[in-house]
Amino acid sequence: MLRALPLIACLWLAACDQPPVPSAAPAGSASAPATGTAPPPSQAGFDDMINALRAQAGLPAATPDARLRAAAQAHADDMLRNNYVSHTGRNGSDFAQRMRAAGYASCNPAENIAAGQTSEAAVLASWTGSAAHRRNLLLPGSVQYGLGRAGDRWVLLIARVC
């Protein structure tokens, strides 16, 4: 079963197409500590990778936001702890609700989730290989993001600054 997990995650990523949902936005930055059994995501490493992708597309750099990071980390922790992978939390919440609960009101929010990847580079490669996830990574304009990881569960919350 463990050998099939990366294949299942890739198939799941390909089928996942959650359109962004509008709201209203502030700013902020920093990062919170990660939990779970895997090392925390490397904020600097991921920042470099996502911004290289955005620069190739002629887009401004994305900046990390502590509130988005906390919401992403909480969802990653919950998915690992309860052995599921879904954009919908066990309490019925969607990513926009989790962002608002963390104190972040946004324009055009999006969420990428994944399971099975062991590094920031691997999860970013999975997301860039999926049209819907790549579209989220390349939201136009100024964006902020938060990356969470628990074990092999990944959550990226990204939103356009209004």
PDB file of all heavy atoms in Angstrom, residues 121-136:
ATOM      1  N   ALA A 121      10.719  20.272  -3.262  1.00  0.00           N
ATOM      2  CA  ALA A 121      10.905  20.171  -4.713  1.00  0.00           C
ATOM      3  C   ALA A 121       9.944  19.143  -5.321  1.00  0.00           C
ATOM      4  O   ALA A 121       9.367  19.378  -6.385  1.00  0.00           O
ATOM      5  CB  ALA A 121      12.353  19.799  -5.036  1.00  0.00           C
ATOM      6  N   ALA A 122       9.757  18.022  -4.646  1.00  0.00           N
ATOM      7  CA  ALA A 122       8.865  16.978  -5.170  1.00  0.00           C
ATOM      8  C   ALA A 122       7.411  17.437  -5.181  1.00  0.00           C
ATOM      9  O   ALA A 122       6.688  17.199  -6.146  1.00  0.00           O
ATOM     10  CB  ALA A 122       9.010  15.695  -4.349  1.00  0.00           C
ATOM     11  N   VAL A 123       6.978  18.113  -4.119  1.00  0.00           N
ATOM     12  CA  VAL A 123       5.581  18.555  -4.093  1.00  0.00           C
ATOM     13  C   VAL A 123       5.355  19.664  -5.107  1.00  0.00           C
ATOM     14  O   VAL A 123       4.331  19.696  -5.789  1.00  0.00           O
ATOM     15  CB  VAL A 123       5.117  18.935  -2.667  1.00  0.00           C
ATOM     16  CG1 VAL A 123       5.623  20.305  -2.233  1.00  0.00           C
ATOM     17  CG2 VAL A 123       3.598  18.879  -2.572  1.00  0.00           C
ATOM     18  N   LEU A 124       6.318  20.556  -5.265  1.00  0.00           N
ATOM     19  CA  LEU A 124       6.163  21.623  -6.259  1.00  0.00           C
ATOM     20  C   LEU A 124       6.131  21.031  -7.668  1.00  0.00           C
ATOM     21  O   LEU A 124       5.343  21.470  -8.508  1.00  0.00           O
ATOM     22  CB  LEU A 124       7.270  22.665  -6.120  1.00  0.00           C
ATOM     23  CG  LEU A 124       7.050  23.940  -6.924  1.00  0.00           C
ATOM     24  CD1 LEU A 124       5.785  24.669  -6.478  1.00  0.00           C
ATOM     25  CD2 LEU A 124       8.251  24.866  -6.806  1.00  0.00           C
ATOM     26  N   ALA A 125       6.945  20.006  -7.924  1.00  0.00           N
ATOM     27  CA  ALA A 125       6.918  19.336  -9.232  1.00  0.00           C
ATOM     28  C   ALA A 125       5.551  18.699  -9.485  1.00  0.00           C
ATOM     29  O   ALA A 125       5.015  18.774 -10.600  1.00  0.00           O
ATOM     30  CB  ALA A 125       8.018  18.284  -9.317  1.00  0.00           C
ATOM     31  N   SER A 126       4.961  18.085  -8.469  1.00  0.00           N
ATOM     32  CA  SER A 126       3.625  17.499  -8.620  1.00  0.00           C
ATOM     33  C   SER A 126       2.604  18.579  -8.948  1.00  0.00           C
ATOM     34  O   SER A 126       1.769  18.410  -9.828  1.00  0.00           O
ATOM     35  CB  SER A 126       3.202  16.777  -7.342  1.00  0.00           C
ATOM     36  OG  SER A 126       3.987  15.649  -7.113  1.00  0.00           O
ATOM     37  N   TRP A 127       2.661  19.683  -8.219  1.00  0.00           N
ATOM     38  CA  TRP A 127       1.699  20.757  -8.437  1.00  0.00           C
ATOM     39  C   TRP A 127       1.886  21.427  -9.793  1.00  0.00           C
ATOM     40  O   TRP A 127       0.906  21.750 -10.454  1.00  0.00           O
ATOM     41  CB  TRP A 127       1.794  21.791  -7.311  1.00  0.00           C
ATOM     42  CG  TRP A 127       1.209  21.322  -6.015  1.00  0.00           C
ATOM     43  CD1 TRP A 127       0.205  20.399  -5.836  1.00  0.00           C
ATOM     44  CD2 TRP A 127       1.575  21.745  -4.706  1.00  0.00           C
ATOM     45  NE1 TRP A 127      -0.063  20.232  -4.503  1.00  0.00           N
ATOM     46  CE2 TRP A 127       0.757  21.052  -3.776  1.00  0.00           C
ATOM     47  CE3 TRP A 127       2.522  22.653  -4.217  1.00  0.00           C
ATOM     48  CZ2 TRP A 127       0.850  21.238  -2.408  1.00  0.00           C
ATOM     49  CZ3 TRP A 127       2.616  22.841  -2.846  1.00  0.00           C
ATOM     50  CH2 TRP A 127       1.784  22.135  -1.957  1.00  0.00           C
ATOM     51  N   THR A 128       3.119  21.599 -10.232  1.00  0.00           N
ATOM     52  CA  THR A 128       3.316  22.236 -11.538  1.00  0.00           C
ATOM     53  C   THR A 128       2.915  21.305 -12.672  1.00  0.00           C
ATOM     54  O   THR A 128       2.617  21.771 -13.773  1.00  0.00           O
ATOM     55  CB  THR A 128       4.775  22.717 -11.734  1.00  0.00           C
ATOM     56  OG1 THR A 128       5.664  21.617 -11.589  1.00  0.00           O
ATOM     57  CG2 THR A 128       5.121  23.819 -10.752  1.00  0.00           C
ATOM     58  N   GLY A 129       2.871  19.998 -12.419  1.00  0.00           N
ATOM     59  CA  GLY A 129       2.438  19.039 -13.427  1.00  0.00           C
ATOM     60  C   GLY A 129       0.927  18.922 -13.563  1.00  0.00           C
ATOM     61  O   GLY A 129       0.434  18.200 -14.432  1.00  0.00           O
ATOM     62  N   SER A 130       0.188  19.617 -12.735  1.00  0.00           N
ATOM     63  CA  SER A 130      -1.277  19.606 -12.770  1.00  0.00           C
ATOM     64  C   SER A 130      -1.754  20.995 -13.187  1.00  0.00           C
ATOM     65  O   SER A 130      -1.396  21.993 -12.548  1.00  0.00           O
ATOM     66  CB  SER A 130      -1.814  19.265 -11.378  1.00  0.00           C
ATOM     67  OG  SER A 130      -3.140  19.720 -11.201  1.00  0.00           O
ATOM     68  N   ALA A 131      -2.541  21.070 -14.242  1.00  0.00           N
ATOM     69  CA  ALA A 131      -2.997  22.374 -14.750  1.00  0.00           C
ATOM     70  C   ALA A 131      -3.695  23.207 -13.679  1.00  0.00           C
ATOM     71  O   ALA A 131      -3.428  24.410 -13.543  1.00  0.00           O
ATOM     72  CB  ALA A 131      -3.914  22.187 -15.958  1.00  0.00           C
ATOM     73  N   ALA A 132      -4.574  22.604 -12.898  1.00  0.00           N
ATOM     74  CA  ALA A 132      -5.318  23.356 -11.881  1.00  0.00           C
ATOM     75  C   ALA A 132      -4.397  23.859 -10.775  1.00  0.00           C
ATOM     76  O   ALA A 132      -4.505  25.003 -10.328  1.00  0.00           O
ATOM     77  CB  ALA A 132      -6.426  22.489 -11.289  1.00  0.00           C
ATOM     78  N   HIS A 133      -3.465  23.005 -10.333  1.00  0.00           N
ATOM     79  CA  HIS A 133      -2.549  23.413  -9.267  1.00  0.00           C
ATOM     80  C   HIS A 133      -1.549  24.445  -9.766  1.00  0.00           C
ATOM     81  O   HIS A 133      -1.210  25.389  -9.049  1.00  0.00           O
ATOM     82  CB  HIS A 133      -1.839  22.187  -8.691  1.00  0.00           C
ATOM     83  CG  HIS A 133      -2.777  21.285  -7.966  1.00  0.00           C
ATOM     84  ND1 HIS A 133      -3.384  20.209  -8.570  1.00  0.00           N
ATOM     85  CD2 HIS A 133      -3.233  21.310  -6.694  1.00  0.00           C
ATOM     86  CE1 HIS A 133      -4.169  19.612  -7.695  1.00  0.00           C
ATOM     87  NE2 HIS A 133      -4.106  20.255  -6.549  1.00  0.00           N
ATOM     88  N   ARG A 134      -1.084  24.280 -11.005  1.00  0.00           N
ATOM     89  CA  ARG A 134      -0.165  25.260 -11.597  1.00  0.00           C
ATOM     90  C   ARG A 134      -0.856  26.621 -11.703  1.00  0.00           C
ATOM     91  O   ARG A 134      -0.248  27.656 -11.428  1.00  0.00           O
ATOM     92  CB  ARG A 134       0.305  24.773 -12.964  1.00  0.00           C
ATOM     93  CG  ARG A 134       1.332  25.683 -13.595  1.00  0.00           C
ATOM     94  CD  ARG A 134       1.783  25.123 -14.951  1.00  0.00           C
ATOM     95  NE  ARG A 134       2.768  25.985 -15.537  1.00  0.00           N
ATOM     96  CZ  ARG A 134       4.063  25.927 -15.320  1.00  0.00           C
ATOM     97  NH1 ARG A 134       4.541  25.005 -14.493  1.00  0.00           N
ATOM     98  NH2 ARG A 134       4.891  26.767 -15.898  1.00  0.00           N
ATOM     99  N   ARG A 135      -2.113  26.624 -12.097  1.00  0.00           N
ATOM    100  CA  ARG A 135      -2.881  27.872 -12.189  1.00  0.00           C
ATOM    101  C   ARG A 135      -2.910  28.575 -10.828  1.00  0.00           C
ATOM    102  O   ARG A 135      -2.762  29.797 -10.745  1.00  0.00           O
ATOM    103  CB  ARG A 135      -4.296  27.584 -12.686  1.00  0.00           C
ATOM    104  CG  ARG A 135      -5.159  28.827 -12.859  1.00  0.00           C
ATOM    105  CD  ARG A 135      -6.531  28.514 -13.476  1.00  0.00           C
ATOM    106  NE  ARG A 135      -7.298  27.573 -12.679  1.00  0.00           N
ATOM    107  CZ  ARG A 135      -7.680  26.367 -13.093  1.00  0.00           C
ATOM    108  NH1 ARG A 135      -7.384  25.942 -14.299  1.00  0.00           N
ATOM    109  NH2 ARG A 135      -8.375  25.583 -12.294  1.00  0.00           N
ATOM    110  N   ASN A 136      -3.071  27.812  -9.749  1.00  0.00           N
ATOM    111  CA  ASN A 136      -3.051  28.403  -8.413  1.00  0.00           C
ATOM    112  C   ASN A 136      -1.685  29.006  -8.089  1.00  0.00           C
ATOM    113  O   ASN A 136      -1.601  30.089  -7.510  1.00  0.00           O
ATOM    114  CB  ASN A 136      -3.412  27.366  -7.351  1.00  0.00           C
ATOM    115  CG  ASN A 136      -4.862  26.942  -7.412  1.00  0.00           C
ATOM    116  OD1 ASN A 136      -5.698  27.601  -8.018  1.00  0.00           O
ATOM    117  ND2 ASN A 136      -5.169  25.823  -6.794  1.00  0.00           N
TER     118      ASN A 136
END
